[in-house]
Amino acid sequence: RDIPMEIFNDFVDDWNEQYRRDRSTLSRLWESSKKEIKLDESTGVDFSKKLLDYSANSPDTYADVRRMSSNEPLSSIMLFFNELKANGGVNRANSRSNLLRDEDSSEDEGEIKEDGEEAG
């Protein structure tokens, strides 16, 4: 009964860990490229292509960006892009990484009751 939830939680934990690693690279790349790459009307795909173009001179960075963009729409680049758009282009690495580190926190500490269970 709990197996699907365990599989889902493992996926989310792995994805979260990968994004934290990727986010470090993306943050550095964004800080060095934001004068050349604008967020104005870009889509996530455009942003990904611009990052690939910008990183073309560095084979390691290019390979990382290419890997990060391969899992559309759940790619690290799409997450980072959406985060930048939400923050008006401001890279708030600390606030996002703090959120990701605090996996057990929740504003709603309520518990979902199954049918037939009594509320405590």
Side-chain angles (χ1 to χ4, degrees):
R1 176 177 163 164
D2 292 331
I3 300 291
M5 182 56 91
E6 288 177 29
I7 292 170
F8 175 75
N9 286 336
D10 286 345
F11 168 78
V12 170
D13 290 344
D14 291 346
W15 187 33
N16 187 10
E17 185 178 318
Q18 184 64 48
Y19 180 65
R20 274 191 268 164
R21 284 192 303 261
D22 291 348
R23 192 174 192 298
S24 175
T25 301
L26 290 167
S27 291
R28 284 192 310 271
L29 189 57
W30 172 247
E31 289 304 316
S32 66
S33 69
K34 65 183 177 182
K35 291 180 182 174
E36 296 178 37
I37 299 176
K38 303 295 181 215
L39 286 180
D40 49 13
E41 297 300 318
S42 293
T43 65
V45 174
D46 295 336
F47 184 71
S48 182
K49 288 177 184 176
K50 290 174 185 178
L51 286 179
L52 277 170
D53 290 343
Y54 187 81
S55 64
N57 293 332
S58 172
D60 290 338
T61 304
Y62 183 83
D64 285 341
V65 171
R66 188 172 171 89
R67 176 190 51 78
M68 287 181 228
S69 65
S70 65
N71 295 325
E72 301 289 342
L74 300 177
S75 72
S76 292
I77 290 178
M78 289 300 292
L79 290 174
F80 188 74
F81 172 76
N82 289 332
E83 187 177 331
L84 286 173
K85 291 286 268 193
N87 295 329
V90 176
N91 181 9
R92 294 184 180 159
N94 292 336
S95 64
R96 178 66 178 164
S97 61
N98 288 340
L99 176 65
L100 291 173
R101 255 188 303 241
D102 194 13
E103 296 170 0
D104 295 329
S105 76
S106 174
E107 289 181 19
D108 179 12
E109 294 297 329
E111 186 174 319
I112 297 173
K113 301 290 183 188
E114 296 285 333
D115 288 340
E117 287 185 347
E118 292 183 25

